[in-house]
Amino acid sequence: MSRLPSRARRERIMELLAAHTDGTVEVERLSETLDVSLATVRRDLAQLREEGRITRTYGGAVLGGGTTEISVRQRRMKHVRQKDAIARQAAEYVEDDQVVLLDAGTTTERLARYLLGKSGLTVFTNGLGAVNTLVEEEGVDVVVMGGRLRRINQTMTGPGAEEMVRGLYADIAFLGADAVHPTRGIASRTFEQSSLKTLMSQHTRRLVVVADSAKLLDDASSYWSPIDRPWTLLTDDGADPEALAALRAASGGDLRIVVCPTTDLPPTDR
């Protein structure tokens, strides 16, 4: 039987759910993978359901709906190829000696990896993942935007971070999003994150939003940062054409959409 304590076992269940494209796993599969009894799995699922993290299905479980947040570790396991394609293309927009605003998130964390090797960059970021990626890169001057740490998504927000943004005007800003909507803008999990994203979108010469196709047209969030200036959306080739058309129509001509293939083919505009 598994030696994992119950809390660690439940976190492992969440990881297994996140690793599946449809977010669902059968009880029997969980029992075999974790090497525990069916009864133990069902007790774990009952606890996770009580915490609002999953929904029980017939014979298994599925990750919770749009209001249920998963950890950064779990997010890193989802849409990996799509995020990597977007990050690779985003890095092409960055030139040596620029000042870059880099939002927190798993896609922007991947983007940080592609900044390695560039020279003379100054990167302002509120994401611990990006900081950890760039910490040993001598060619990049990293400025951490201080604030309160939100552990579940490894983001720092608050008055300190906002004050830092007010004092600069970056060459380019890359913003992540929990969702992208034609009229509401880009979504965040908290008011503080939304407030910081709004400021970041205003204090840059060029604005780029990085969001995989699963985030397009989702309107479940309560916190939104409107975009009322020219901007670029980088997404992947799984994007629904109707979703892209709705975004373009609502932008009044301010939006450029770049679709990044998950193969090695060059990106295409739509």
Side-chain angles (χ1 to χ4, degrees), residues 26 177 203:
E26 294 180 352
H203 284 254

Side-chain angles (χ1 to χ4, degrees), residues 14-26:
M14 294 298 295
E15 292 175 1
L16 291 169
L17 289 171
H20 283 68
T21 55
D22 62 353
T24 183
V25 182
E26 294 180 352

Side-chain angles (χ1 to χ4, degrees), residues 59-71:
V62 63
L63 286 175
T67 59
T68 300
E69 187 171 9
I70 61 177
S71 70

